[in-house]
Amino acid sequence: MTTKTGTFEIRDQFYLNNEPFRIISGGIHYFRILPEYWEDRLQKLRELGCNTVETYIPWNMHEPVKGTFDFYGENVHGMLDVVSFVRTAQRLGLWVILRPSPYICAEWDFGGLPSWLLAGEEMDIRTSDERYLRHVRDYYDKLMPLLAPLQIDQGGPVLMLQVENEYGSFGNDKKYLESLRDMMRERGITVPLFASDGPDHNMLSNAITEGVFPTANFGSGARKAFSILKEYTDGGPCMCTEFWIGWFDAWHDEAHHKGDAETAAKELEDILELGNVNIYMFEGGTNFGFMNGANYGSRLTADVTSYDYDALLTEDGQITEKYRRFREVVSGYGRTENGQSPAYGKKLPFERVAYGSCSVVQKVDLFHALDCLAEPVDTVSPKSMERLGQGYGYMLYSSVLHTERRLHSLRLYQAADRAIVFADRKRVLTAADRELLERHEIDPVTAEDIRLDILMENMGRVNYGPIINWQRKGIDGCVMINDRFAQHGWQQYCLPLDNLEKLDYTRGWEEGMPAFYRFTFLAGKTGDTFLDFRGWGKGCAFVNGFHLGRFWEAGPQKRLYLPGALLKEGENEIILFETEGKCGGSISLQAEPDLGR
């Protein structure tokens, strides 16, 4: 590994060690790809002709609990070791662009902001509100000392760091941007700082900040975009920091987003003729666990588990026709050598394997297993997940209607995102998003001391737009019973599903209830495979204790990517948590993905 220091400057163009330098970069998010695959993906990036790799840094993963920092990721298979990722890139002869903004968007839960920001005191997120900034300072106190030694002027590969992300489409608090800039400088960041925004005058002018170089994000129309950007670069170079070559999918989309390779290649030619580029995404990866983001237009649209993005590499790292076409374009500009000697390793460490079908071997429903997974918290009124210290997953709200002998309607106020309601263990209502506020007539339930259970699911926090400040999950208001009163006296069960080893499958199983299903299969050799969940309703999957992500018959995604690095030779375990009462009896592991037509 080279330790020679260098320089990177922004003048009329980019200069690396005082020589003109064109950035040809590709986006790879280390936190969406298992570490066993980093070298393979980075090597393929260099072989495309790129000289740089770009990645976001997600605050919510590195500080999951206030004051508790994780820069390795023992519970997520080591995926949070950002320093190791950067050093691997350097060893393979790549420069690095880091985007450690408090907010990253990235179709990632809450845009990378930690859920605990919503737990207590009210604050204006992404502003100069001191109640928010003090949390950013605490985070940067830990993060920036890790990043500073990775900079080019200290012998590392890092050329630039981003200050915030697409802020011009959110607000215009210049004091906030100046505060972030100063925080980074005060903590040892010496390389150039940059911002990225849409190629729009309002967006760029909202975010322009002294000492922060402006760049643009777009997917087409490079000539027009750069002509606008030039008005803000003070004679500096033009760069497309996110050249969108694909798009993300949301549940209920009609089909997987797929773009035209030739059209994208022609756009790349225009960008490289005029300036610099970061291809977004080179490889998208996977929204493992509960970390998918969401958007909110007329309704909540939660993103699927795959972040394939129609990128140059597939979700499991296969080379695409778009990759081949982009390599032709990039080769026309020659490789800009960077003085780093690549040390190549093996590519594609895992082949695709079909393991076939496996049947349920054990099962237990949620109500029988409840006390294995959570201790109840008594509250007068329902409280949101965040107020009880839970960031992700599900929460069960339970109460007994001592004063009402007939239940015929329900209404949930300040509830998100999806509710399944049971009265005396009978499923009486499923509702989501704005439906939760509506009055719902249900089939009447008549009995003394009716037990009411409401399973709330956090489907992913919105990652873009003004709603980012107002999205507590669960119920943070009240439950109206029969149009007359709010039910008081609740027991709340936090279900982040991070302790499934405590499940006791002998407790019992009732048909139609949310339940856990356990499968096992033997692997003679380990390889990448794809979990087909046809016949199952909605829920999430765990493989050998690793949270693979969500599944939903709504599509378009029909199979979940299961990296071979999570498997072992011999017996492997899969657990599904299914909420709709739809169980197929078996699942299958196939050798091909299915993201929808």
Side-chain angles (χ1 to χ4, degrees):
M1 181 187 300
T2 179
T3 58
K4 183 179 178 181
T5 61
T7 60
F8 181 76
E9 299 174 279
I10 304 175
R11 290 179 265 168
D12 60 318
Q13 52 188 306
F14 294 126
Y15 286 84
L16 178 67
N17 298 324
N18 291 315
E19 295 292 333
F21 181 72
R22 185 194 306 275
I23 293 176
I24 306 178
S25 174
I28 301 176
H29 297 159
Y30 63 94
F31 50 93
R32 280 180 158 130
I33 302 169
L34 269 60
E36 289 87 344
Y37 300 87
W38 289 347
E39 183 167 316
D40 172 75
R41 306 320 192 238
L42 290 166
Q43 185 173 336
K44 289 172 180 171
L45 178 66
R46 183 167 172 85
E47 290 180 353
L48 180 76
C50 290
N51 51 39
T52 306
V53 62
E54 167 272 332
T55 185
Y56 279 122
I57 297 177
W59 183 7
N60 55 8
M61 294 294 284
H62 291 298
E63 192 180 4
V65 177
K66 173 63 182 176
T68 300
F69 299 91
D70 184 356
F71 294 102
Y72 174 71
E74 183 177 350
N75 294 326
V76 286
H77 207 76
M79 285 195 298
L80 301 185
D81 193 347
V82 60
V83 173
S84 178
F85 178 79
V86 171
R87 290 301 188 191
T88 300
Q90 182 178 23
R91 177 168 55 82
L92 295 176
L94 289 164
W95 299 103
V96 178
I97 295 172
L98 294 179
R99 304 171 77 183
S101 316
Y103 165 82
I104 64 173
C105 187
E107 290 71 61
W108 192 252
D109 183 87
F110 205 8
L113 297 166
S115 62
W116 48 260
L117 289 173
L118 303 169
E121 61 180 335
E122 302 295 330
M123 67 184 77
D124 292 323
I125 293 171
R126 299 183 73 192
T127 73
S128 57
D129 186 331
E130 181 57 32
R131 293 167 296 184
Y132 168 68
L133 287 180
R134 66 181 175 87
H135 294 301
V136 180
R137 288 193 196 96
D138 292 344
Y139 171 50
Y140 278 8
D141 282 344
K142 300 294 184 179
L143 176 64
M144 294 305 160
L146 293 177
L147 304 185
L150 302 174
Q151 299 173 102
I152 184 174
D153 55 8
Q154 296 192 41
V158 174
L159 303 179
M160 298 193 295
L161 275 77
Q162 180 171 273
V163 176
E164 247 283 350
N165 182 58
E166 296 181 335
Y167 190 72
S169 63
F170 177 82
N172 56 9
D173 187 349
K174 297 294 183 66
K175 183 180 177 182
Y176 167 55
L177 299 177
E178 292 166 357
S179 295
L180 294 182
R181 175 201 63 198
D182 294 345
M183 285 183 205
M184 296 173 77
R185 291 299 187 210
E186 290 163 2
R187 287 159 179 79
I189 301 305
T190 53
V191 296
L193 303 177
F194 72 95
S196 62
D197 281 283
D200 172 271
H201 286 294
N202 289 333
M203 293 180 184
L204 289 165
S205 60
N206 278 347
I208 199 75
T209 305
E210 183 179 355
V212 179
F213 185 73
T215 67
N217 299 341
F218 54 85
S220 61
R223 296 185 184 279
K224 180 179 179 181
F226 278 170
S227 69
I228 295 172
L229 179 62
K230 280 181 180 179
E231 298 183 34
Y232 299 87
T233 62
D234 193 25
C238 285
M239 177 162 179
C240 178
T241 300
E242 291 185 13
F243 171 37
W244 303 321
I245 65 166
W247 207 245
F248 53 90
D249 297 335
W251 297 113
H252 285 290
D253 280 352
E254 292 185 1
H256 168 54
H257 285 88
K258 195 79 173 173
D260 179 67
E262 187 60 32
T263 299
K266 289 179 179 177
E267 291 288 349
L268 178 63
E269 287 181 353
D270 286 346
I271 294 173
L272 289 177
E273 180 184 336
L274 299 169
N276 305 266
V277 70
N278 175 60
I279 300 162
Y280 192 98
M281 297 291 297
F282 175 71
E283 183 187 24
T286 308
N287 297 317
F288 292 118
F290 291 124
M291 300 312 296
N292 65 278
N295 283 279
Y296 209 109
S298 60
R299 61 183 178 87
L300 180 75
T301 52
D303 298 331
V304 302
T305 298
S306 172
Y307 197 61
D308 176 88
Y309 206 85
D310 193 29
L312 298 189
L313 299 184
T314 64
E315 185 178 5
D316 65 321
Q318 302 284 334
I319 287 174
T320 65
E321 181 58 35
K322 191 182 292 185
Y323 176 101
R324 297 183 181 94
R325 185 67 185 91
F326 272 42
R327 183 166 53 188
E328 293 173 3
V329 173
V330 172
S331 68
Y333 289 84
R335 180 186 297 281
T336 306
E337 293 298 344
N338 51 29
Q340 301 191 107
S341 299
Y344 292 139
K346 294 181 179 179
K347 289 185 291 185
L348 201 62
F350 291 93
E351 297 178 355
R352 289 177 172 180
V353 178
Y355 293 101
S357 297
C358 48
S359 299
V360 175
V361 294
Q362 289 178 300
K363 57 189 176 183
V364 61
D365 72 56
L366 174 63
F367 294 111
H368 280 97
L370 196 56
D371 63 352
C372 297
L373 300 177
E375 293 288 336
V377 177
D378 294 325
T379 61
V380 175
S381 298
K383 303 298 181 185
S384 71
M385 291 183 180
E386 296 84 358
R387 295 193 194 280
L388 294 188
Q390 180 181 348
Y392 311 97
Y394 304 80
M395 180 170 282
L396 185 71
Y397 297 78
S398 295
S399 189
V400 177
L401 309 186
H402 293 297
T403 60
E404 198 78 1
R405 297 184 180 181
R406 187 173 185 272
L407 176 64
H408 62 81
S409 73
L410 287 164
R411 196 169 191 171
L412 280 64
Y413 286 95
Q414 289 181 261
D417 293 309
R418 191 170 187 266
I420 303 175
V421 184
F422 302 86
D424 285 343
R425 298 293 191 265
K426 176 185 177 183
R427 190 185 297 254
V428 296
L429 175 66
T430 300
D433 192 28
R434 297 185 179 185
E435 297 172 346
L436 298 169
L437 184 58
E438 299 172 3
R439 178 184 182 277
H440 293 276
E441 281 283 345
I442 64 172
D443 291 337
V445 178
T446 303
E448 292 187 5
D449 296 335
I450 299 170
R451 182 174 184 83
L452 186 65
D453 294 292
I454 305 174
L455 181 64
M456 296 295 306
E457 178 186 358
N458 170 359
M459 293 176 61
R461 292 182 182 84
V462 172
N463 55 259
Y464 184 83
I467 199 173
I468 202 165
N469 276 285
W470 306 286
Q471 48 177 333
R472 291 189 176 97
K473 301 302 186 180
I475 307 173
D476 204 41
C478 67
V479 179
M480 294 295 294
I481 303 296
N482 296 343
D483 301 317
R484 292 201 295 274
F485 64 90
Q487 175 68 13
H488 291 115
W490 292 87
Q491 287 190 320
Q492 296 186 213
Y493 296 84
C494 297
L495 299 168
L497 303 188
D498 55 3
N499 57 349
L500 298 189
E501 73 280 357
K502 295 182 178 180
L503 284 172
D504 181 354
Y505 291 95
T506 67
R507 292 292 189 89
W509 175 83
E510 183 178 345
E511 186 175 1
M513 293 293 104
F516 298 90
Y517 299 87
R518 182 173 178 268
F519 309 78
T520 60
F521 71 96
L522 294 176
K525 65 174 181 178
T526 57
D528 290 349
T529 190
F530 299 86
L531 192 161
D532 192 305
F533 51 82
R534 284 177 177 83
W536 297 80
K538 189 179 193 301
C540 48
F542 303 80
V543 178
N544 293 333
F546 181 90
H547 190 174
L548 204 60
R550 307 176 197 260
F551 64 87
W552 195 358
E553 62 182 347
Q557 185 173 5
K558 301 298 184 185
R559 294 176 183 170
L560 300 184
Y561 170 49
L562 198 174
L566 296 175
L567 301 178
K568 55 190 177 182
E569 292 184 3
E571 186 173 272
N572 293 270
E573 176 188 71
I574 297 176
I575 296 174
L576 298 188
F577 176 56
E578 200 284 330
T579 60
E580 313 305 291
K582 296 181 179 180
C583 54
S586 67
I587 55 175
S588 65
L589 298 170
Q590 302 296 328
E592 298 293 330
D594 187 348
L595 297 175
R597 59 182 177 83

